[in-house]
Amino acid sequence: MNPEVLLSRIRVVLCRTSHPGNIGAAARAMKTMGLSSLYLVQPKQFPDPEADTRATGAVDLLQRAIITSSLSEALVGASYVVALSARQRDIGPALGAPRETVARLLSEAERGDVALVFGNETVGLSNEEILHCQAAVTIPTNPDFSSLNLGSAVQVLCYDCRMAAFAERPPHVDAGVTPFSSPAATHDEIEGLYAHLESVMTATGFFNPKQPGRLLPKLRRLFGRARLERDEINILRGVLAATEVRTGHGRKG
Ligand code: SAH
């Protein structure tokens, strides 16, 4: 596929950014590398003159940026989502290296939209945000000083995306695709499965919301590794619906 088209399918999602200047810097970093799809989840201050100043010639990306009130909303339709995190969390996907993960990201982009998710300048990504992602990446750094400026982190990833998109690549072969395959499930379809699963596990008494433990994060990590397809989501939701009928527990809401 045309590298420019591939790059246009990569969303850069900035969560709860505090400094508008960093949003501008991110837009500039994206445009220099040929990315254009910017999503802002609850930015503290935007639009803002400081964002425009730091974006310089990339103000068009700021004007087209999509502002959402939740990460889920920014990920609607995306079928592969990667978190950027400076440190390993005790929850969420294992941290991978940028290059390998970007290779996977581009191969997923052959089939649809994908996303890179960046955290807030002070606190990074929350555990909840990380659990919306199927993979996580850390940029290798000096272990004593590992946190990059947000705009710099965006630059490093966008550079890797461009290098990978324009590199000589063997014709696209996706080992996961068989004659039985269906399209990759999108973020919203996967969230629908999680909500259904939680409801049935609660109704059957398997899950106690008052003592949640690690059950839900672990299930998210499991399904995140599986790269679910749409048919598979439908099968799992069919099983859940049948369980509801048999146990007499209808779904609430
Ligand atoms: N103090 C925060 C860092 C915030 S930096 C923390 O410890 O998590 C803002 C964002 O830039 C991070 O949420 C992450 O998305 C990205 N970032 C910064 N340094 C990074 C690194 N070394 N690897 C991957 N992402 C990084």
Side-chain angles (χ1 to χ4, degrees):
M1 183 179 283
N2 177 328
E4 264 114 17
V5 175
L6 274 185
L7 292 173
S8 74
R9 291 183 175 183
I10 305 171
R11 299 180 193 176
V12 170
V13 182
L14 306 183
C15 295
R16 297 169 291 107
T17 312
S18 303
H19 302 292
N22 283 334
I23 299 177
R28 180 176 184 174
M30 288 169 65
K31 191 166 177 180
T32 53
M33 296 297 135
L35 282 77
S36 53
S37 178
L38 177 61
Y39 284 69
L40 305 173
V41 182
Q42 295 181 13
K44 293 243 157 59
Q45 216 175 313
F46 186 83
D48 188 90
E50 181 64 18
D52 293 356
T53 307
R54 294 281 301 279
T56 58
V59 175
D60 55 321
L61 263 68
L62 296 181
Q63 284 160 350
R64 277 186 283 125
I66 295 172
I67 301 175
T68 68
S69 56
S70 70
L71 178 56
S72 277
E73 223 182 296
L75 296 176
V76 169
S79 55
Y80 190 65
V81 181
V82 176
L84 269 291
S85 176
R87 60 207 151 88
Q88 176 72 59
R89 315 301 182 90
D90 49 355
I91 247 168
L95 288 179
R99 214 151 283 170
E100 288 76 55
T101 312
V102 161
R104 170 87 192 269
L105 186 83
L106 285 174
S107 111
E108 298 284 346
E110 300 263 359
R111 292 194 269 168
D113 280 6
V114 297
L116 294 168
V117 180
F118 295 82
N120 166 270
E121 294 91 329
T122 316
V123 295
L125 286 168
S126 68
N127 285 337
E128 210 243 317
E129 285 163 341
I130 295 233
L131 287 170
H132 279 80
C133 306
Q134 280 116 34
V137 164
T138 187
I139 301 165
T141 52
N142 173 355
D144 301 328
F145 193 59
S146 64
S147 174
L148 277 78
N149 163 267
L150 175 59
S152 307
V154 172
Q155 185 77 70
V156 170
L157 264 289
C158 291
Y159 171 78
D160 265 350
C161 287
R162 186 172 186 85
M163 289 304 107
F166 281 88
E168 275 299 314
R169 276 174 300 145
H172 179 62
V173 194
D174 190 332
V177 176
T178 71
F180 303 115
S181 294
S182 76
T186 58
H187 179 263
D188 31 310
E189 289 164 344
I190 298 171
E191 287 299 314
L193 169 67
Y194 293 150
H196 199 168
L197 194 54
E198 183 176 342
S199 149
V200 171
M201 290 191 308
T202 307
T204 55
F206 182 73
F207 174 64
N208 178 359
K210 294 201 183 94
Q211 287 180 327
R214 294 253 150 132
L215 181 62
L216 299 179
K218 288 201 165 185
L219 287 172
R220 278 176 177 264
R221 204 168 48 171
L222 164 67
F223 287 120
R225 280 201 307 271
R227 199 194 151 283
L228 290 162
E229 295 179 359
R230 184 166 303 152
D231 281 358
E232 293 163 343
I233 294 261
N234 289 338
I235 292 167
L236 291 169
R237 294 200 60 171
V239 172
L240 293 171
T243 309
E244 284 173 325
V245 170
R246 276 299 168 109
T247 55
H249 294 293
R251 270 195 95 194
K252 287 183 217 114

